[in-house]
Amino acid sequence: MTRQRLAQFTLLLILLLAAALRLVGLNNLSPPGIEHDEVANWLIDRSILAGEHAIYFTRAYGHEAGFHYLQAGFVALLGDNVLALRLPAVFAGLLLVAVSYVLTRRLFGRREALISAAILAILFWPTFYSRLALRAITLPVLSGLSAYFWWTAWERGGEQSPRHPVTLSFLFAGLFAGLSFHTYMAARAVPIFYGLWTVYLAVFHWRELRARWRDVALFWLIYALVAVPLALYLLSHPGAEFRIGEVDAPLRALLAGDVRPVLQNAWLILRGFLFEGDPLWRQNVAARPFFNPFLALLFYAGLAKLIWRWRTPKYGFVLLWLAVSMTPSLVTADAPSSIRMINALPLLAIPVVQLMPRFGEFSTEKRRFSTQLAYIWLGVGVVTQFMGTAVSIFHTWPNNEEVQFVWQAALADIGGYVDTHEELETAVIAAWSPDTMDVPSMQLLTRREDIALSYFDPRQGTLILPQVVDGTYHLFRPTILELDPFWEAWLVAQGSTVQQQKNFVHYAIPAGLAVQPEYKMDTLFGGQFRLLGYDLVRDGEELVLTSYWRVEKRPSSPASVFVHVLDGAGAMLTNDAWWDAVDPQGLWYSHWQSGDLILQRHILPSQTNAVQLRIGIFDPYTCDPGPCQNLHTEAGAEFLLIPLED
């Protein structure tokens, strides 16, 4: 087998290994569910498929549009599911390994390129971001392609040829650099890099730059044409990237003359490759170093070599690339942030690989031994790095409690249960964000479209019972999210069967349970919600009102219950702000089904001059700037009055 064939075969094995690490268990094993950011991406994708187009989407803290159009294409082809959302990142991650190979080969040679690709294939950092339905992983792919085409043109010394036109290579370098601007906010560092790189060439390699100045000017022109539309949008909408304002404290300190936060971040970034990496479980096995000790020591030694040879263009290029790629984390919080430094990945392994000696160049037996020792050290580093990545990806990270919470593992398990129990036609799910993310999360986590699901937040004193189809009410809640103690005891007293699963609790509630309010009513609000009655208990300094409702018509917009404590003259005994005056129950009904029963406990202060309560339903979206708009009863009233009896 020739060297070329052997290299091709080795690269194929590397890509297959990378694919295994990125594809195995992608659907709800690791990650163990789906995160809100991934769900937000899907909602933007759906808006694109519905005809909404933009160069920048302001939702979900602001998103560049590039990745979303790619992801929307996968959703259109494969449907609304977790796999369709994550496959674009998987393919980008595999392409990144290939880009690292061709770029490193262009700079240093085939042997170095294979080592670089192998390290990038098995490193936790790129593997992790290749498994998420997030846009960041596309940045190093496009910027890496830009770097490859730059060096393809630069190494030809300005000499055109029919097979390899230099001008075309610079054009592609500018195109991919410009496209990278449309991927992720850390791409703002790419023009900084190319600007500093141009200055570096002008100062230290002026003769070579002058020979290529027209092509370099073409690079900048194409870069600007592709990137400027988004840049102009962001400049004209300064509030679009408000997420930056939440994490840029070190930058603000630097601008104010205090360099200590930036210097501290620089130290954290530098030591992150061996000692303590990204501190957030959202982005890493918290504090896990980016390299294991074997590769980290090679990385630091190789970095020293880059610094020593910085006047040589290819060494200066790599050194400057790595330094500028760290800048987004350098000037923001939570350093070292792997996601903000993600543009380092195409060249991340070069400090390691360019340090390795070549076989076949042994001048002495001692030289032969040191070369063999170096490759044994590298081999041990790669193998242990692969094992560490596999354990972290498939065991340590997905089983962490914070990861289980953020990636909604309980909802994923509930979705799996619902999928395998086709007899369920209706169910209620207790979760943390019924007003925003629970509904789309479950749409992605379950394959069924024929089941009617309702959602509520049990922390608000709420209990919902769905329509009865098979003679039983079915309610699910995450294990770590408890029901209101009153309703938990009530369900047990009603003879409910409670089954504890790994991450959730399933209540099978008999259909014949006693939902009998002490004071019966029959009042319809807005043609949608019928007040069936209430219970009222004075408990020391508190009034406990339990209201019973039924959904008559599925609402088209959110609504909230309000309860006011009034004196004899009808004056409110609390202040006029609805969020203080209203019993603080953020009840969102927009996803509830016709026939759902809503049982709500209201805890109110008991005051000596209180004589009645005022209860009704309002639209919270009308309260800013206000006044809040109430739903009317069939008689035209905006509320009902409930007397307080001793």
Side-chain angles (χ1 to χ4, degrees):
M1 183 180 293
T2 66
R3 284 189 176 183
Q4 182 176 358
R5 288 292 180 87
L6 180 61
Q8 291 172 348
F9 180 72
T10 304
L11 180 60
L12 177 61
L13 290 179
I14 290 171
L15 289 172
L16 289 174
L17 183 62
L21 285 174
R22 287 154 177 79
L23 282 168
V24 172
L26 190 64
N27 192 7
N28 299 338
L29 172 63
S30 179
I34 193 164
E35 184 205 18
H36 284 178
D37 287 343
E38 296 178 298
V39 177
N41 273 16
W42 174 65
L43 295 175
I44 294 174
D45 300 339
R46 293 304 313 174
S47 71
I48 291 173
L49 296 175
E52 179 184 342
H53 300 287
I55 196 170
Y56 187 87
F57 294 95
T58 56
R59 284 166 288 179
Y61 293 105
H63 285 206
E64 298 81 359
F67 180 72
H68 286 289
Y69 281 93
L70 174 64
Q71 197 175 48
F74 276 79
V75 170
L77 289 173
L78 302 178
D80 298 312
N81 56 74
V82 174
L83 190 62
L85 292 179
R86 290 181 179 153
L87 278 179
V90 171
F91 293 143
L94 293 176
L95 185 57
L96 176 60
V97 176
V99 168
S100 176
Y101 173 82
V102 297
L103 176 56
T104 307
R105 181 176 177 179
R106 173 62 62 187
L107 287 167
F108 296 102
R110 180 186 295 149
R111 175 188 62 98
E112 290 84 354
L114 287 172
I115 299 173
S116 178
I119 291 174
L120 215 62
I122 54 91
L123 206 60
F124 179 91
W125 183 356
T127 300
F128 176 75
Y129 287 108
S130 299
R131 298 179 64 91
L132 305 182
L134 304 178
R135 67 197 192 280
I137 192 64
T138 56
L139 167 58
V141 175
L142 294 175
S143 65
L145 284 171
S146 171
Y148 167 75
F149 281 107
W150 175 284
W151 277 99
T152 298
W154 186 265
E155 287 192 336
R156 296 196 183 110
E159 298 178 0
Q160 298 280 356
S161 72
R163 291 185 59 191
H164 303 289
V166 173
T167 299
L168 189 61
S169 293
F170 272 115
L171 185 150
F172 278 121
L175 174 64
F176 284 113
L179 290 174
S180 74
F181 201 70
H182 297 266
T183 57
Y184 177 61
M185 65 176 63
R188 309 301 184 267
V190 176
I192 297 174
F193 163 77
Y194 275 113
L196 293 175
W197 173 242
T198 304
V199 172
Y200 168 90
L201 292 174
V203 173
F204 300 107
H205 302 280
W206 169 247
R207 182 178 301 176
E208 293 89 340
L209 179 61
R210 185 174 60 182
R212 303 168 177 83
W213 75 268
R214 290 183 178 85
D215 291 323
V216 173
L218 175 65
F219 162 84
W220 279 107
L221 175 63
I222 299 301
Y223 193 167
L225 288 176
V226 178
V228 159
L230 176 57
L232 291 177
Y233 175 87
L234 295 175
L235 288 173
S236 60
H237 298 79
E241 293 188 299
F242 66 91
R243 171 61 177 164
I244 294 178
E246 297 179 347
V247 297
D248 67 345
L251 176 60
R252 285 185 275 112
L254 179 64
L255 295 176
D258 183 3
V259 301
R260 287 173 298 176
V262 168
L263 292 177
Q264 182 181 15
N265 280 356
W267 171 243
L268 292 173
I269 291 170
L270 186 61
R271 68 192 300 270
F273 293 91
L274 176 60
F275 298 102
E276 189 172 341
D278 193 316
L280 303 181
W281 278 100
R282 284 175 171 269
Q283 299 171 179
N284 192 32
V285 172
R288 185 183 192 272
F290 298 126
F291 289 125
N292 66 22
F294 294 94
L295 296 182
L297 293 176
L298 290 175
F299 176 83
Y300 287 129
L303 201 61
K305 181 178 179 179
L306 291 177
I307 296 172
W308 180 258
R309 298 186 176 181
W310 67 272
R311 289 287 294 269
T312 302
K314 63 181 180 181
Y315 291 99
F317 186 91
V318 175
L319 188 63
L320 187 61
W321 182 285
L322 294 177
V324 175
S325 296
M326 307 299 170
T327 303
S329 181
L330 189 70
V331 297
T332 55
D334 301 319
S337 172
S338 57
I339 194 169
R340 295 175 202 147
M341 301 190 305
I342 200 166
N343 198 48
L345 289 178
L347 300 175
L348 184 68
I350 284 184
V352 175
V353 301
Q354 58 84 38
L355 191 69
M356 303 304 296
R358 290 185 175 275
F359 282 111
E361 300 177 357
F362 310 122
S363 57
T364 64
E365 190 64 28
K366 184 177 181 181
R367 174 70 172 171
R368 179 192 297 271
F369 175 76
S370 64
T371 299
Q372 292 173 341
L373 184 62
Y375 278 94
I376 291 173
W377 184 278
L378 175 65
V380 172
V382 169
V383 171
T384 54
Q385 186 73 62
F386 166 74
M387 295 171 61
T389 294
V391 170
S392 295
I393 285 290
F394 300 117
H395 176 71
T396 308
W397 183 78
N399 288 311
N400 173 262
E401 289 185 2
E402 182 179 339
V403 172
Q404 294 261 320
F405 173 76
V406 172
W407 265 267
Q408 305 183 98
L411 293 189
D413 289 351
I414 292 170
Y417 185 94
V418 168
D419 285 342
T420 56
H421 290 75
E422 296 183 357
E423 72 277 8
L424 297 182
E425 297 184 19
T426 62
V428 167
I429 297 176
W432 289 273
S433 53
D435 54 327
T436 52
M437 304 306 288
D438 292 341
V439 178
S441 293
M442 285 302 297
Q443 288 175 332
L444 291 167
L445 292 170
T446 179
R447 297 188 301 272
R448 292 184 59 183
E449 298 181 358
D450 61 334
I451 185 169
L453 297 175
S454 299
Y455 306 81
F456 72 101
D457 186 341
R459 298 170 300 175
Q460 299 170 346
T462 310
L463 179 67
I464 302 180
L465 302 177
Q467 301 179 71
V468 177
V469 176
D470 63 351
T472 305
Y473 298 100
H474 295 279
L475 187 152
F476 300 89
R477 68 168 174 87
T479 301
I480 62 174
L481 181 63
E482 297 181 352
L483 295 179
D484 182 285
F486 176 87
W487 293 123
E488 181 77 34
W490 185 82
L491 288 174
V492 173
Q494 296 295 326
S496 302
T497 301
V498 183
Q499 294 181 334
Q500 175 69 60
Q501 305 291 334
K502 177 183 177 182
N503 286 312
F504 69 91
V505 180
H506 174 212
Y507 299 81
I509 309 164
L513 78 175
V515 182
Q516 297 293 332
E518 182 180 0
Y519 301 94
K520 292 181 172 57
M521 305 183 74
D522 186 9
T523 304
L524 184 64
F525 285 83
Q528 303 169 36
F529 309 107
R530 188 177 299 277
L531 179 59
L532 303 176
Y534 64 92
D535 301 335
L536 184 61
V537 176
R538 193 185 297 270
D539 184 9
E541 297 182 354
E542 293 181 337
L543 290 172
V544 181
L545 174 70
T546 305
S547 56
Y548 298 80
W549 305 79
R550 184 172 65 230
V551 180
E552 299 292 348
K553 177 183 177 182
R554 186 172 182 176
S556 58
S557 61
S560 287
V561 172
F562 66 85
V563 179
H564 298 164
V565 181
L566 307 178
D567 63 14
M572 192 185 305
L573 294 179
T574 53
N575 62 50
D576 293 332
W578 70 265
W579 50 85
D580 292 324
V582 178
D583 179 40
Q585 317 290 338
L587 299 179
W588 296 84
Y589 298 101
S590 59
H591 45 69
W592 290 357
Q593 312 290 327
S594 298
D596 284 351
L597 294 175
I598 301 99
L599 286 60
Q600 178 64 50
R601 282 169 58 80
H602 313 266
I603 310 298
L604 303 159
S606 177
Q607 303 184 41
T608 56
N609 56 340
V611 300
Q612 58 186 344
L613 302 177
R614 183 165 59 199
I615 187 170
I617 297 179
F618 70 98
D619 180 351
Y621 284 170
T622 64
C623 296
D624 187 12
C628 302
Q629 300 298 310
N630 296 348
L631 299 186
H632 291 187
T633 69
E634 292 175 298
E638 293 188 344
F639 51 81
L640 294 179
L641 295 176
I642 296 176
L644 297 177
E645 299 178 359
D646 294 330

